[in-house]
Amino acid sequence: MSRAVHRTILVVDVAGFGDLRRTNLHQVAVHGGLYRVLTRAFAAAGIPWNVCEDEDRGDGALVLIPPGVPKSLLVEALPGALLDSLREHNRAHRAEEQIRLRMALHAGEIHYDEHGVVGRPVNLTFRLLELPVLKRALADSGGLLAVVTSAWFYDEVVWHSRERDDYHQVRAKAKETDTTAWISVPGMVLSPELLAPIAEESAPHQLPAGIRQFVGRESELGRLDTISGAAGAVIITAIDGTAGIGKTTLAMHWAHQVKDRFPDGQLHVNLRGFDPNEPMDPGQALHGFLQALEVAPGSIPADLEPRAALYRSLLAERRMLIVLDNARSADQVRPLLPGTPTCLVVVTSRNQLRGLMVREGAYRIALDVLPAEDARALLAERIDGDRLAAEPRAVAELMELCARLPLALSIVAARAASQANLPLAALVHELNDERHRLDALDLGETDLSVRAVFSWSYNVLSPAAARLFRLLGVHPGPDIDLLAAEALASDARQLLKELVTAHLLAEHVPGRFRFHDLLRAYAAELAATEPDRRAAAERMLDHYLNAADHADRQIQPVRPGYEEAMSWFAAEHDTLLAMVTFAADQGFAEYAWRLASACQIFLRRVGRRHERVAVHRTALAASRKAGDQHGQATALRQLAQGLSRLSRFDEAKELLDEALELSLALKDESHLLHVHLAYCRVFEAQGQHQLALDHARAGWDLARHKTGGGNKAAALTAMGRQESMLGQFTEAAEHSAKALSLYAAMPDKEGEANVLKNIGELELRLGKLSEALVSFERSLALDRELGDRYWEAHALDCIGAVHAAGGDETRAKALWRQAFAIFTELRHPDAADVRAKLSSPANGG
């Protein structure tokens, strides 16, 4: 070993270097700035930097100063020079790149080896730098520099300088060190309370270990930072979210990042609010905290209030971080709150702790499932990158099957990591079976089972809320509104609030509620054991059928409330389609075909051609299985009409043949009328106008003696359309005019718009361009009022044809472009015909 040599030892550390607000780029700027600050200050103080030795410590530096440099310069000149240099740096940099320093001074004999320097004087200097009282002095004083010296350095150097009155004696007790030190914050007056000695043994550090593979939550971390910087009363942050969402992980990660801001220590307790056993009594939590604060067990009061008062007294003026994990309620938390604004409290709970927000002014941070990017990053932290890259589709599916819930993703990642030869696609296949999905997300320990952690939230619900949760598992749609929930439970409004507060349900838009997919699977498991399950399903289907029938009557023919009805259909569209499938699967055939029928006009009007076919096909299968002939007749006809819109004419005619035979057997003239009109549309689409006219006339024969105007108008419109196509213009004009009169009297805006197009096409064929333009534009206005995108595009196409016939190719192409855009949006084959017009030289292409 080398001979010992005497050196003055100076150690500096950047306060809050690891602050979460500092990005990597900010830290680079701080690191470089530290050395510029030091070298400028040393030069200004008359200390040659080039004769000193320095070791970089990332967030600080160790500087060894040779004996030839007067030690008095380090007390009388260097602190002031450092302050000037720090101010210069901070003025030129944003907040995240500004620097505040702690500096420790000592001197003694040190040794060099191949790795650097060693010796007790070096150890002591670093111990002094980490004193909690030094950190607190810098944090609370608002200064830029805090200086601590050893007792030797003070006696030999500081005491003989004119700066000695700025130094204050403190107890330095940390690890194996127990001595005296002297502290100064240049330019600041330090209160005696600020310098009260804090033995490290009395500063509890109870935070559990953080997780190494923490990812994401950047906005939540930023909000925690912002909240923690607030002034005033004690700061309380309540992090809430559903089971497995990562509340504790977030709280622990952030707490470890900021613990240096709390030199008096950190307290932590798991309040067991949702564990299988009873929640922890707040008195028990206080007992543990008081013991951590070195109160003898025999001195701890027996009752809750005196115990809480002693706790608040001990925390007064201390800077402590308190983490209250897994709280059940605000009442469980309230006795554990300090009374001093120098403390910060972080609470996690599966419940929304509204009482804390209202009465204590707590800040709320609500956690949702991870964004896709963060979910993938979580998997990437635990699964080999080559495996993820090899199966990108499986990775995407795993994220969604886990609902991007951190606990579920972690379980899947653990299974993948422990089975290196298991393809990720095999995990996808296992999770795709919703009946056993929760089994696949169970590692055999209660806190590593998605089902188990969900159950802890479910088990603390009121009986009525638990029952509604089970019944919501019956509901097949993506979400549910209050009225539908009331079909399941009469007091649904309050019960929904309880479920939302417990994060077992989310109100994703006002008045609409949904599960994430894993909670849905859990609710469905519980629903299977519910005795009221089938009766609840029938009540639910009854609600949706009545609501859909009512909305259908508002949109066809158009009545007051049309826009509200269309909005209702748009909001419930996915749920209604799911209800048809659910009704078919559960043996409620009549609900299946009636719901499908009630949705037909809406689906046609918004251009959902494939969904229209799918829903009627499901209804037909259910009706056939149940032997429901009326249901079959309706579903056959409506499915055929939908198929004709997809140009699947052969299948459509086969279904109509079956519908015609069934309607004749039932002797149901209403079914027969609509079957003939459906035939008419199918044959027209194929250009078989005479066959189409024959069926239109058959429909008229059935409708002409009926009292209702709607069927008469429909049959007249169909006849007029086919007569026009066959060149029978006089008959076409007469029948179309009668239909228009009937539709206008009802009124039926959709029928009126339809017949106006027929009249416009007839006028266009006869060369009556101005009359045709008026008819088409009236039809277009009605289509837009109805929100019927297909017929709007059709009308624009027709108006373009009128302008083209009149020689205005520019206007025609502008209209065709509008029509083409809508047909393309609807993915309708008519887009090809319009594209041809736009590209045809004959049309100015």
Side-chain angles (χ1 to χ4, degrees):
M1 179 177 288
S2 64
R3 292 177 179 271
V5 294
H6 184 85
R7 293 290 185 268
T8 300
I9 305 164
L10 180 151
V11 181
V12 292
D13 184 77
V14 176
F17 184 83
D19 192 311
L20 293 175
R21 288 167 290 192
R22 298 193 203 266
T23 65
N24 289 342
L25 292 178
H26 293 145
Q27 290 184 343
V28 169
V30 170
H31 185 262
L34 170 63
Y35 278 90
R36 286 189 291 273
V37 164
L38 288 173
T39 54
R40 282 198 301 262
F42 269 57
I47 305 172
W49 181 261
N50 61 342
V51 304
C52 302
E53 303 168 76
D54 67 278
E55 288 186 7
D56 180 52
R57 296 301 173 105
D59 57 352
L62 164 67
V63 182
L64 301 174
I65 303 163
V69 175
K71 292 180 175 61
S72 60
L73 293 177
L74 298 169
V75 176
E76 296 178 351
L78 184 60
L82 275 172
L83 277 178
D84 292 340
S85 191
L86 285 168
R87 292 187 184 112
E88 182 181 346
H89 171 89
N90 291 348
R91 279 195 297 268
H93 290 78
R94 65 183 70 180
E96 295 87 351
E97 296 172 355
Q98 293 179 4
I99 300 175
R100 301 169 74 209
L101 284 180
R102 299 193 308 276
M103 181 171 76
L105 290 168
H106 186 39
E109 304 298 307
I110 65 169
H111 291 270
Y112 288 88
D113 64 14
E114 64 271 23
H115 304 294
V117 296
V118 294
R120 289 183 180 177
V122 175
N123 296 341
L124 175 61
T125 311
F126 277 101
R127 293 280 185 270
L128 295 175
L129 192 69
E130 294 301 319
L131 288 177
V133 67
L134 179 68
K135 294 179 180 180
R136 187 170 65 178
L138 180 63
D140 285 4
S141 68
L144 295 179
L145 174 67
V147 182
V148 60
T149 78
S150 65
W152 182 93
F153 199 91
Y154 179 84
D155 290 341
E156 297 298 324
V157 182
V158 177
W159 192 84
H160 301 285
S161 76
R162 59 180 177 269
E163 312 296 333
R164 68 181 184 183
D165 291 340
D166 294 336
Y167 282 77
H168 305 269
Q169 187 177 24
V170 297
R171 173 88 174 276
K173 188 175 183 181
K175 296 186 178 179
E176 69 276 8
T177 301
D178 187 358
T179 185
T180 297
W182 294 81
I183 286 178
S184 171
V185 179
M188 298 290 169
V189 177
L190 302 182
S191 66
E193 293 82 6
L194 195 63
L195 296 167
I198 305 170
E200 183 165 329
E201 288 81 0
S202 67
H205 301 282
Q206 295 186 332
L207 293 180
I211 185 168
R212 181 177 62 82
Q213 303 100 333
F214 186 88
V215 299
R217 301 297 191 199
E218 294 299 328
S219 63
E220 290 86 354
L221 289 168
R223 181 153 164 71
L224 280 164
D225 280 335
T226 300
I227 291 168
S228 68
V234 59
I235 301 164
I236 308 164
T237 302
I239 303 172
D240 62 69
T242 192
I245 204 76
K247 303 176 292 296
T248 297
T249 302
L250 171 64
M252 291 306 112
H253 179 76
W254 184 80
H256 278 285
Q257 293 293 318
V258 301
K259 62 186 178 184
D260 285 348
R261 300 184 200 168
F262 303 94
D264 297 336
Q266 309 91 40
L267 296 173
H268 169 271
V269 65
N270 178 2
L271 294 170
R272 303 197 302 266
F274 297 89
D275 283 11
N277 300 316
E278 286 297 310
M280 179 182 288
D281 181 82
Q284 182 184 353
L286 281 171
H287 191 281
F289 281 171
L290 290 172
Q291 284 191 307
L293 294 168
E294 296 192 336
V295 177
S299 300
I300 296 176
D303 295 330
L304 178 63
E305 284 304 321
R307 194 174 286 189
L310 176 59
Y311 166 72
R312 290 191 295 271
S313 296
L314 291 173
L315 292 188
E317 305 306 323
R318 294 198 188 191
R319 291 178 58 80
M320 297 193 75
L321 174 62
I322 299 145
V323 181
L324 308 176
D325 194 20
N326 199 17
R328 169 79 71 86
S329 66
D331 288 341
Q332 188 188 23
V333 167
R334 200 165 278 120
L336 307 177
L337 299 177
T340 177
T342 58
C343 292
L344 186 145
V345 182
V346 177
V347 186
T348 73
S349 179
R350 297 187 189 186
N351 283 335
Q352 297 176 21
L353 301 179
R354 293 170 177 165
L356 284 185
M357 290 179 260
V358 173
R359 294 177 184 166
E360 280 75 27
Y363 296 90
R364 181 190 178 207
I365 295 179
L367 295 192
D368 200 352
V369 296
L370 291 172
E373 181 180 352
D374 291 344
R376 193 186 190 286
L378 189 154
L379 293 176
E381 283 287 339
R382 297 161 169 83
I383 303 175
D384 181 73
D386 291 340
R387 291 177 73 187
L388 296 180
E391 297 184 77
R393 182 174 178 180
V395 172
E397 290 184 87
L398 281 177
M399 292 191 303
E400 297 311 310
L401 288 168
C402 290
R404 288 182 273 116
L405 185 73
L407 174 62
L409 289 165
S410 298
I411 291 172
V412 163
R415 290 192 57 192
S418 65
Q419 297 173 280
N421 297 323
L422 179 71
L424 299 181
L427 282 172
V428 170
H429 177 74
E430 188 176 352
L431 289 168
N432 261 323
D433 185 348
E434 187 170 332
R435 296 169 302 170
H436 301 295
R437 186 174 300 165
L438 298 182
D439 294 329
L441 296 172
D442 186 342
L443 293 183
E445 299 179 32
T446 55
D447 60 341
L448 296 178
S449 163
V450 169
R451 180 187 288 110
V453 298
F454 286 169
S455 72
W456 300 341
S457 293
Y458 168 79
N459 289 336
V460 300
L461 293 173
S462 68
R467 177 176 176 273
L468 178 58
F469 181 81
R470 295 192 298 273
L471 293 178
L472 288 172
V474 177
H475 189 275
D479 64 0
I480 189 170
D481 68 358
L482 174 62
L483 293 176
E486 286 177 339
L488 297 174
S490 58
D491 50 350
R493 184 184 298 273
Q494 286 303 119
L495 301 179
L496 288 170
K497 286 182 180 178
E498 183 177 344
L499 293 175
V500 169
T501 298
H503 284 288
L504 287 170
L505 198 64
E507 189 173 8
H508 65 107
V509 297
R512 299 196 70 84
F513 305 86
R514 70 182 179 193
F515 298 118
H516 64 65
D517 287 347
L518 294 179
L519 273 172
R520 179 186 305 282
Y522 179 62
E525 278 190 358
L526 297 176
T529 67
E530 172 57 42
D532 189 36
R533 185 180 189 281
R534 188 162 183 83
E538 190 163 7
R539 294 195 304 272
M540 177 179 67
L541 287 166
D542 203 53
H543 161 77
Y544 280 107
L545 178 58
N546 289 335
D549 278 342
H550 175 76
D552 187 44
R553 289 193 296 272
Q554 303 307 113
I555 67 173
Q556 180 66 11
V558 175
R559 290 186 170 92
Y562 173 83
E563 291 185 0
E564 292 86 345
M566 287 293 286
S567 295
W568 182 86
F569 268 121
E572 299 289 358
H573 160 258
D574 291 334
T575 294
L576 290 169
L577 300 189
M579 283 293 163
V580 173
T581 301
F582 174 79
D585 291 344
Q586 299 300 317
F588 295 103
E590 185 172 357
Y591 282 107
W593 70 261
R594 287 188 181 278
L595 269 171
S597 183
C599 294
Q600 177 182 236
I601 300 299
F602 170 77
L603 293 172
R604 187 186 75 205
R605 196 160 286 169
V606 297
R608 295 182 180 271
R609 296 173 297 126
H610 293 280
E611 291 175 2
R612 179 181 171 188
V613 166
V615 78
H616 291 309
R617 200 180 292 283
T618 299
L620 177 59
S623 299
R624 280 179 167 157
K625 183 176 180 180
D628 183 339
Q629 292 184 316
H630 284 282
Q632 289 179 67
T634 301
L636 283 164
R637 170 173 49 82
Q638 293 179 338
L639 176 56
Q641 290 173 304
L643 288 166
S644 71
R645 292 292 186 190
L646 297 177
S647 301
R648 293 165 63 173
F649 302 118
D650 290 342
E651 185 181 359
K653 283 190 285 189
E654 288 178 7
L655 294 171
L656 287 175
D657 291 344
E658 186 179 350
L660 179 63
E661 182 179 347
L662 190 55
S663 299
L664 288 168
L666 291 170
K667 299 180 180 179
D668 189 317
E669 291 189 352
S670 177
H671 275 305
L672 281 171
L673 166 63
H674 288 101
V675 168
H676 282 301
L677 295 181
Y679 269 124
C680 178
R681 296 185 189 99
V682 171
F683 284 124
E684 178 193 340
Q686 293 181 286
Q688 300 180 48
H689 297 292
Q690 186 58 57
L691 284 173
L693 179 58
D694 292 342
H695 281 286
R697 286 172 174 164
W700 171 247
D701 288 340
L702 290 166
R704 63 194 302 178
H705 302 300
K706 303 293 183 184
T707 55
N711 289 335
K712 291 179 183 178
L716 287 166
T717 299
M719 286 195 298
R721 169 79 177 163
Q722 304 315 313
E723 288 162 347
S724 175
M725 300 300 292
L726 291 167
Q728 300 171 19
F729 298 136
T730 302
E731 296 90 338
E734 177 186 351
H735 291 147
S736 296
K738 287 181 179 178
L740 181 61
S741 177
L742 285 170
Y743 280 131
M746 293 172 62
D748 182 337
K749 294 183 180 181
E750 183 179 56
E752 192 176 347
N754 191 24
V755 77
L756 279 167
K757 289 185 189 70
N758 292 347
I759 292 170
E761 290 179 6
L762 174 58
E763 291 164 339
L764 179 59
R765 290 190 185 93
L766 295 173
K768 299 178 180 180
L769 300 186
S770 59
E771 291 92 333
L773 188 61
V774 170
S775 296
F776 285 136
E777 287 182 340
R778 285 175 63 193
S779 175
L780 175 63
L782 288 168
D783 291 328
R784 284 176 169 165
E785 185 179 344
L786 292 168
D788 194 319
R789 299 286 282 157
Y790 170 78
W791 286 112
E792 177 186 355
H794 185 80
L796 287 166
D797 183 16
C798 292
I799 296 171
V802 173
H803 284 289
D808 190 347
E809 295 292 334
T810 301
R811 180 61 179 153
K813 288 180 70 175
L815 290 158
W816 284 333
R817 278 193 289 270
Q818 293 179 52
F820 177 72
I822 296 174
F823 282 136
T824 301
E825 176 190 331
L826 297 175
R827 300 181 180 179
H828 199 283
D830 285 0
D833 295 335
V834 180
R835 184 194 297 112
K837 293 177 185 178
L838 285 168
S839 60
S840 171
N843 290 318

